[in-house]
């Protein structure tokens, strides 16, 4: 009997209609520590997004277009049906639950600390009859005997030299936003926002330097709920000096039970249902995006200057990696994993490097058709001549967070591959050089990137770009590029000066190859006229785009000019870090076309 069948028997015994297992932690984070990887453990699918629902006689997993191919492979023979989100005729999670939860079978099981308020809101809009929520999930521990413990790593201070603004300045900004919203209490549970507010970082979540904690802010005090074992003497003194009260991590739930007659602000996308359940009856609750989210994503001058330094360091590492790929000794049998590890070793050489900002995608040939493929011991493929290698990677540095994709021609590639590579480049150029009126959102500009690809009747099943944190999550809202608004993504905010957003269109042909080129862009002032205030983007990623993969005849003169100017910027930025043969190669790799 497999895990799914075991759980189904337990559901039958308890008379439970459905069991929902999200990809989440107690803070609705994108990347999660091993303790929270319940969905992955039960289903075998290890992509970073997906929701598993088990009923007494059925099991289904919903995930988005980034993971269709991967999920098909990993769910094979599991008995779990793949539900491809966004595809025609595919029922949503809420449609499905509406079907399976009847008035006579209305018990829904989930861990109340791992389901967002937004999820329950959406479900209740869909189902007319009452549902009995069972929010204490004891099934997981009964079928996961060696479940990893909660992380225990120490917290450290991110000095103002890197952060730019002190905790007290940020707190005053938050208090002003609370006043505007008419609330006296703010429950903050988003890990990136808490790390930003306190100028503290941790190591509780892989690839994201944050720590598990909750925060309650009132006009009179700030309370940090955290495992006290993570606090060393330096951090203890820092918290004391900033008048931050510290309580145990799980103590928040008892404190919330006692909270009454408060006007409380929570973010329904970032707050778990258990918190909402405890406060909704005795308090006035306002559901709104965390004010810290917008404050955090508009980078201050110090953060911007440091981020530029991080991208120079990253540019050196990735350019060295490109040189390595262009001089591969194919007799050595270099694989995706070996190449990926080598890239990480190059980043580690850079002072201030902390860790990768996500699991490196190093995908050769047909593997790159899977948008978020990452090699493992079972899939690791030898990199051979005459095909494309897609590498999407990034680094966490004390100065900032990076995210870059380059697709490399390994040997000679086909005319089709060159054509599509060039079309993706056109898409990157279109979005890179746009000038737009303040007030535009990513959804207004996305067509610039998709246009050249749509002209070929092709598309990519993901957004065109996402916000990037500052020594925080590589994927952060509320800014992004997407052709249609997806409310749960919270990435459709008005674009503002100081926001950093990726530009990463791509083409992915199933079982053939994948192409993506990605740069980060800083939103900057473009000038003010009688027609309004205009903005534009400054590309802040400094790595050559592979000229060997381009069909130059498909580029207009203005597109060639953009590429030449970009490569001149790359050369001028990186030249002092190289010498000899490496510098000669960089000169060649950034030559004018």
């Amino acid at each position: 009997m497999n895990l799914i069948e075991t759980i189904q028997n337990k559901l039958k015994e308890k008379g439970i209609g459905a069991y929902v297992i999200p990809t989440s932690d107690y803070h609705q984070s994108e990347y999660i520590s091993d303790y929270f990887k319940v969905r992955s453990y039960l289903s075998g699918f290890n992509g970073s997004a997906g929701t598993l629902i088990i009923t007494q006689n059925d099991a289904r997993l919903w995930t988005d277009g980034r993971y269709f191919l991967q999920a098909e492979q990993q769910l094979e023979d599991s008995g779990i049906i793949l539900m491809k989100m966004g595809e025609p005729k595919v029922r949503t999670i809420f449609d499905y639950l509406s079907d399976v939860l009847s008035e006579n079978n209305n018990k829904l099981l989930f861990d109340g600390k791992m389901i967002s308020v937004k999820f329950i809101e959406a479900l209740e809009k869909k189902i007319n009859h009452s549902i009995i929520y069972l929010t204490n999930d004891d099934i997981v521990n009964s079928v996961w005997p060696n479940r990893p413990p909660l992380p225990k790593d120490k917290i450290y201070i991110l000095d103002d030299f890197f952060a730019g603004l002190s905790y007290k300045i940020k707190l005053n900004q938050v208090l002003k936003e609370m006043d505007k919203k008419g609330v006296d209490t703010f429950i903050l549970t988003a890990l990136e926002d808490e790390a930003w507010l306190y100028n503290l970082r941790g190591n509780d979540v892989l690839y994201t330097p944050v720590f598990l904690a909750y925060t309650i802010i009132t006009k009179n005090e700030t309370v940090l709920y955290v495992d006290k074992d993570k606090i060393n003497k330096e951090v203890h003194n820092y918290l004391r000096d900033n008048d931050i009260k510290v309580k145990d991590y799980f103590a928040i739930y008892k404190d919330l039970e006692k909270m009454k007659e408060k006007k409380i602000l929570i973010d329904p996308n970032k707050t778990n249902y258990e918190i909402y359940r405890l406060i909704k009856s005795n308090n006035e609750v306002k559901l709104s995006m965390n004010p810290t989210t917008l404050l955090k994503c508009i980078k201050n001058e110090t953060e911007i200057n440091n981020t530029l330094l991080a991208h120079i360091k990253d540019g050196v590492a990735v350019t060295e990696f490109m040189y390595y790929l262009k001089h591969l000794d194919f007799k050595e049998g270099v694989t995706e994993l070996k190449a990926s590890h080598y890239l990480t070793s190059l980043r580690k050489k850079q002072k201030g490097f902390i860790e990768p900002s996500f699991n490196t995608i190093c995908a050769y040939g047909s593997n790159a058709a899977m948008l978020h493929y990452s090699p493992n011991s079972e899939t690791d493929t030898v990199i051979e001549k005459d095909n494309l290698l897609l590498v999407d990677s990034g680094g966490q540095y004390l100065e900032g967070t990076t995210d870059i994709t380059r697709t490399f021609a390994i040997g000679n590639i086909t005319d089709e591959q060159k054509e599509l590579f060039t079309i993706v480049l056109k898409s990157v150029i279109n979005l890179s050089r746009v000038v737009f009126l303040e007030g535009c959102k990513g959804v207004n500009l996305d067509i610039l990137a998709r246009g050249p690809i749509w002209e070929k009747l092709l598309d990519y099943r993901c957004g065109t770009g996402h916000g990037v944190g500052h020594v925080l999550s590589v994927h952060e809202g509320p800014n992004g590029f997407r052709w249609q608004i997806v409310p749960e993504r919270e990435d459709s905010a008005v674009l503002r000066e100081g926001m950093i957003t990726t530009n990463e269109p791509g083409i992915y042909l199933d079982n053939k190859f994948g192409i993506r080129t990605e740069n980060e862009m800083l939103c900057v002032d473009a000038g003010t006229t009688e027609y309004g205030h205009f903005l534009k983007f400054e590309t802040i990623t400094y790595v050559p785009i592979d000229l060997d993969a381009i069909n130059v005849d498909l580029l207009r003169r203005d597109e060639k000019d953009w590429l030449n100017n970009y490569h001149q910027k790359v050369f001028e930025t990186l030249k002092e870090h190289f010498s000899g043969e490496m510098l000669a190669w960089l000169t060649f790799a950034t030559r004018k076309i």
Side-chain angles (χ1 to χ4, degrees):
M1 184 181 296
N2 63 30
L3 280 175
I4 300 300
E5 292 171 336
T6 300
I7 290 171
Q8 287 174 331
N9 285 338
K10 290 180 180 292
L11 298 182
K12 291 173 184 175
E13 291 171 9
K14 298 174 182 289
I16 295 171
Y19 176 29
V20 179
I21 307 101
T23 305
S24 181
D25 59 11
Y26 297 157
H27 308 270
Q28 310 306 306
S29 306
E30 177 185 15
Y31 293 116
I32 55 179
S33 59
D34 290 345
Y35 175 85
F36 297 106
K37 293 181 179 178
V38 181
R39 187 225 67 211
S40 178
Y41 177 77
L42 295 179
S43 70
F45 167 65
N46 62 8
S48 68
T51 300
L52 174 64
I53 298 181
I54 304 172
T55 69
Q56 295 180 11
N57 301 297
D58 190 32
R60 302 183 182 222
L61 185 138
W62 280 257
T63 193
D64 61 54
R66 296 172 294 169
Y67 296 106
F68 288 168
L69 292 178
Q70 178 182 341
E72 283 175 352
Q73 294 174 6
Q74 293 183 330
L75 295 180
E76 190 174 2
D77 300 325
S78 69
I80 300 171
I81 299 169
L82 173 61
M83 305 294 283
K84 297 181 178 181
M85 295 171 67
E87 292 292 284
K89 299 182 180 179
V90 174
R91 281 184 293 170
T92 68
I93 290 171
F94 306 108
D95 287 333
Y96 177 75
L97 288 174
S98 179
D99 290 342
V100 299
L101 292 172
S102 65
E103 292 188 44
N104 297 322
N105 188 14
N106 65 343
K107 292 182 180 179
L108 178 66
L109 173 66
F110 55 87
D111 186 332
K113 296 184 180 71
M114 289 177 66
I115 289 281
S116 72
V117 176
K118 194 76 172 180
F119 183 96
I120 299 301
E121 276 190 320
L123 178 62
E124 291 179 343
K125 287 179 182 177
K126 190 69 183 179
I127 299 180
N128 295 323
H129 58 78
S130 64
I131 306 171
I132 298 174
Y133 298 136
L134 306 174
T135 60
N136 294 314
D137 178 8
D138 59 353
I139 285 184
V140 173
N141 290 328
S142 71
V143 298
W144 196 353
N146 298 310
R147 186 175 186 176
L150 287 169
K152 288 279 189 182
D153 284 21
K154 298 294 184 183
I155 296 170
Y156 60 94
I157 299 168
L158 187 71
D159 193 88
D160 289 358
F161 175 81
F162 298 109
L165 298 177
S166 69
Y167 157 74
K168 288 188 176 178
I169 291 175
K170 293 178 178 180
L171 177 63
N172 284 333
Q173 292 177 335
V174 172
L175 291 172
K176 286 179 182 177
E177 293 300 317
M178 290 170 59
D179 280 341
K180 290 178 185 178
K181 293 181 180 292
V183 298
D184 53 45
T185 305
F186 174 30
I187 301 175
L188 177 60
T189 68
L191 301 184
E192 295 89 353
D193 291 35
E194 293 180 89
W196 169 85
L197 172 64
Y198 294 118
N199 288 339
L200 296 174
R201 298 295 188 268
N203 195 35
D204 285 355
V205 178
L206 191 61
Y207 310 127
T208 309
V210 296
F211 51 95
L212 297 179
Y214 301 100
T215 293
I216 297 180
I217 298 172
T218 67
K219 295 178 181 180
N220 300 318
E221 68 174 4
T222 299
V223 182
L224 171 65
Y225 296 84
V226 66
D227 183 342
K228 293 181 181 179
D229 289 341
K230 297 176 182 178
I231 299 175
N232 61 23
K233 186 175 181 180
E234 181 186 17
V235 174
H236 170 81
N237 292 340
Y238 172 84
L239 294 169
R240 179 201 62 206
D241 293 345
N242 280 286
D243 300 318
I244 300 167
K245 188 175 182 179
V246 179
K247 290 190 175 184
D248 288 326
Y249 180 55
F250 287 108
I252 187 172
Y253 293 98
K254 288 186 178 179
D255 285 355
L256 293 178
E257 286 181 0
K258 303 171 189 173
M259 194 172 286
K260 293 182 180 179
E261 298 181 356
K262 300 291 185 181
K263 294 179 180 179
I264 304 174
L265 172 65
I266 63 171
D267 187 332
N269 269 320
K270 296 293 185 179
T271 307
N272 70 53
Y273 178 74
E274 184 65 8
I275 287 175
Y276 181 58
R277 185 184 71 81
L278 292 172
I279 63 174
K280 65 178 181 177
S281 299
N282 298 316
N283 301 276
E284 181 183 330
V285 182
K286 182 178 182 63
L287 303 178
S288 178
M289 179 188 289
N290 287 328
T292 47
T293 300
L294 188 58
L295 293 169
K296 170 171 58 71
C297 80
I298 299 175
K299 310 301 188 289
N300 63 56
E301 185 177 358
T302 299
E303 290 174 322
I304 290 170
N305 291 335
N306 279 324
T307 295
L308 296 178
L309 293 175
H311 277 283
I312 293 171
K313 293 180 177 183
D314 211 57
V316 170
V318 180
T319 300
E320 287 180 334
F321 179 67
M322 183 176 180
Y323 175 85
Y324 160 80
L325 291 175
K326 290 297 183 178
H327 296 83
L328 274 181
D329 182 351
F330 295 100
K331 293 179 182 178
E332 291 184 2
V334 175
T335 67
E336 297 163 329
L337 272 177
K338 184 175 180 181
S340 178
H341 294 329
Y342 181 65
L343 175 55
T344 300
S345 74
L346 293 173
R347 283 194 167 103
K348 285 180 178 178
K349 286 166 42 179
Q350 299 297 321
K351 186 178 179 181
F353 177 76
I354 301 170
E355 63 181 334
S357 56
F358 56 97
N359 192 20
T360 297
I361 296 169
C362 186
Y364 175 75
S366 61
N367 289 339
M370 293 180 277
L371 273 73
H372 277 222
Y373 165 89
S374 289
N376 57 49
S377 57
E378 295 179 358
T379 65
D380 194 18
T381 302
V382 174
I383 300 169
E384 298 177 328
K385 282 186 179 180
D386 305 334
N387 213 329
L388 293 170
L389 177 72
L390 187 157
V391 182
D392 185 356
S393 67
Q396 295 284 7
Y397 300 84
L398 287 174
E399 294 86 358
T401 303
T402 69
D403 186 1
I404 174 176
T405 306
R406 289 293 183 266
T407 304
F408 303 103
I410 308 297
N412 297 313
I413 60 174
T414 67
D415 290 343
E416 180 190 31
Q417 288 173 325
K418 281 193 173 186
E419 177 191 6
L420 297 183
F421 183 98
T422 308
I423 288 170
V424 170
L425 175 58
K426 284 172 168 283
S427 297
V428 170
I429 293 172
N430 274 1
L431 188 54
S432 299
R433 62 186 185 182
V434 64
V435 177
F436 57 97
L437 268 171
E438 186 175 36
C440 282
K441 302 178 178 182
V443 71
N444 302 122
L445 306 180
D446 187 87
I447 181 62
L448 294 169
R450 284 186 203 263
I453 295 171
W454 280 356
E455 286 177 13
K456 299 293 293 184
L457 303 185
L458 297 170
D459 193 21
Y460 42 97
R461 297 186 180 101
C462 59
T464 297
H466 54 82
V468 180
H470 182 72
V471 201
L472 288 170
S473 175
V474 74
H475 300 124
E476 283 190 15
N479 48 309
F481 300 112
R482 198 173 289 277
W483 73 272
Q484 59 181 345
I485 293 175
V486 181
E488 61 268 24
R489 293 281 186 184
E490 285 197 313
D491 61 359
S492 299
V494 169
L495 296 166
R496 303 170 188 265
E497 288 181 65
M499 288 181 170
I500 295 175
T501 317
T502 64
N503 173 6
E504 49 181 310
I507 292 175
Y508 311 91
L509 302 184
D510 290 358
N511 303 312
K512 292 182 70 176
F513 55 83
I515 297 165
R516 177 162 67 250
T517 298
E518 175 187 17
N519 290 329
E520 286 187 33
M521 305 188 303
L522 172 67
C523 187
V524 298
D525 173 55
T528 301
T529 71
E530 66 269 31
Y531 299 103
H533 182 207
F534 290 84
L535 301 171
K536 61 183 180 180
F537 297 117
E538 175 189 336
T539 297
I540 59 174
T541 299
Y542 312 117
V543 173
I545 293 170
D546 194 350
L547 296 175
D548 296 338
I550 296 173
N551 182 339
V552 177
D553 294 336
L554 297 179
L555 292 177
R556 300 188 309 268
R557 181 70 260 168
D558 60 305
E559 293 169 330
K560 293 177 184 178
D561 289 342
W562 182 93
L563 185 60
N564 288 337
N565 291 335
Y566 173 70
H567 275 156
Q568 182 64 24
K569 177 70 173 178
V570 170
F571 179 79
E572 293 297 330
T573 302
L574 301 183
K575 66 180 181 181
E576 65 184 72
H577 299 277
F578 300 122
S579 61
E581 185 179 335
M582 182 69 207
L583 181 59
W585 177 84
L586 177 64
T587 304
F588 177 74
T590 57
R591 67 192 182 276
K592 287 188 176 182
I593 58 170

